[in-house]
Amino acid sequence: MVNKSMTIVWTEADLPRPPDGAGLPMQQHPTHGAVCAALGRSVRWLDWHENGKVLGSAQVLSRNWSLVGRVALISRGPVFAPDLPEGALRDAHAALINGLRADHRGVIVTPEPVAGVDPAAGGPWLSMMTGGHVARLSLGSDACTLRAGLHQKWRNRLRRSESAGLTLAEGPLPDDPAHWLLREEAAQARARRYGRLPPAYALAWARAGETLLVSAHAGGRPVAGMLFLIHPPWASYHLGWTSAAGRAANAHNLIMWRAILALKAQGLTALELGLLDTENAPDLARFKLGTGAEGVPLGATTLDAPGSQAVAALARAAAFALSRISR
């Protein structure tokens, strides 16, 4: 229970300690921090607790931007206890930003909503991007229930793939920068011109934490593969590739299903499949939702920096004036 008479204070921590009952997105897991530190980023951890109970945690990355100075980034955080009242959420979020501004020129935050409440909503910060949706599949049900939850077309493709004669392999990502999946996915990214984390990120994660690589082979050659990053109690899809032969055999359906079963067997409670973009990547969005995953809203991305609150106030005043004119 939050003591309303107490001032909310975020303190330095050795590692992020998520509140009881809260999930832990990849960007707020200690392994992500270790990977970013290995790649040259500054990482620190803060938490908010009362009476020995952690109510909020935040993994903060810092970097120096030219012409700006030191900027703090909190992605998919802070992570709050699931039973916090709305007022406490907003107060704690504001206290975190105010504390970081003491030694940062700017703070960029994309908070995790709690029970549908965005902790940044209604605040004085400048909105940089509205919240999107991420596909999240609960792994709490048994395998039969999970299979029944697959959309019919997705399940039909899985059946065809199961009878296509593919050989599957499971295991961690080898510590090999020239691994075929990293090489093929990099070529795919260049051809399709999409952005993603560099291969060095996946390799650093494999060194610092746990990964699951599931691949499909035909005639002794790989035709498709997917890499998952494990961050208990959740896991996240990270990257994938398929050949023409893999697409013809619906290999990604079989690989995803095998990964779901493997991650569930490890005791993980949810699998995140990435952002849903129904406008620019509708087929990929359908594939993700076809697993039975739900679209979970994310918080808006906001900025607090010198002058940003004044700009935000002007933007809100202009929006209000336009709404009055349009009535």
Side-chain angles (χ1 to χ4, degrees), residues 26-161:
M26 181 195 80
Q27 295 87 340
Q28 286 296 307
H29 195 272
T31 303
H32 176 70
V35 169
C36 290
L39 298 178
R41 295 288 181 262
S42 174
V43 186
R44 64 193 289 200
W45 302 280
L46 302 170
D47 63 31
W48 162 44
H49 50 84
E50 287 192 17
N51 301 320
K53 181 180 180 181
V54 177
L55 301 179
S57 69
Q59 182 163 253
V60 185
L61 306 183
S62 299
R63 63 176 298 181
N64 290 316
W65 285 5
S66 300
L67 305 178
V68 176
R70 193 164 182 240
V71 176
L73 171 65
I74 306 175
S75 182
R76 298 290 304 275
V79 177
F80 288 113
D83 56 351
L84 283 177
E86 184 173 335
L89 283 175
R90 300 194 192 284
D91 290 346
H93 182 80
L96 176 61
I97 293 177
N98 291 338
L100 288 171
R101 279 300 308 278
D103 55 0
H104 290 83
R105 286 284 290 171
V107 180
I108 300 173
V109 188
T110 306
E112 285 289 277
V114 178
V117 175
D118 183 346
W125 309 287
L126 180 63
S127 179
M128 298 177 65
M129 185 181 299
T130 57
H133 288 75
V134 65
R136 184 183 302 160
L137 174 66
S138 171
L139 302 178
S141 302
D142 59 66
C144 290
T145 303
L146 286 170
R147 183 146 183 150
L150 301 173
H151 289 200
Q152 183 175 350
K153 289 183 179 179
W154 207 103
R155 189 165 52 245
N156 290 341
R157 293 189 180 101
L158 173 60
R159 289 196 190 102
R160 289 196 292 270
S161 188

Side-chain angles (χ1 to χ4, degrees), residues 173 179-190 192 194-197 199 202 212-216 222-229 236-243 246-247 251-253 255-256 259 273 284 287-288:
L173 175 69
H179 188 272
W180 63 265
L181 179 58
L182 299 180
R183 186 178 65 252
E184 295 287 2
E185 194 276 336
Q188 174 180 270
R190 288 192 297 270
R192 298 181 183 177
Y194 62 80
R196 87 279 193 248
L197 290 167
L212 173 65
L213 169 61
V214 184
S215 56
V223 297
M226 286 184 173
L227 177 64
F228 301 84
L229 307 182
S236 292
Y237 165 81
H238 185 60
L239 58 82
W241 165 83
T242 185
S243 65
R247 282 189 293 274
H252 269 179
N253 294 76
I255 288 172
M256 180 64 76
L273 301 176
L284 182 57
F287 178 85
K288 294 174 181 179

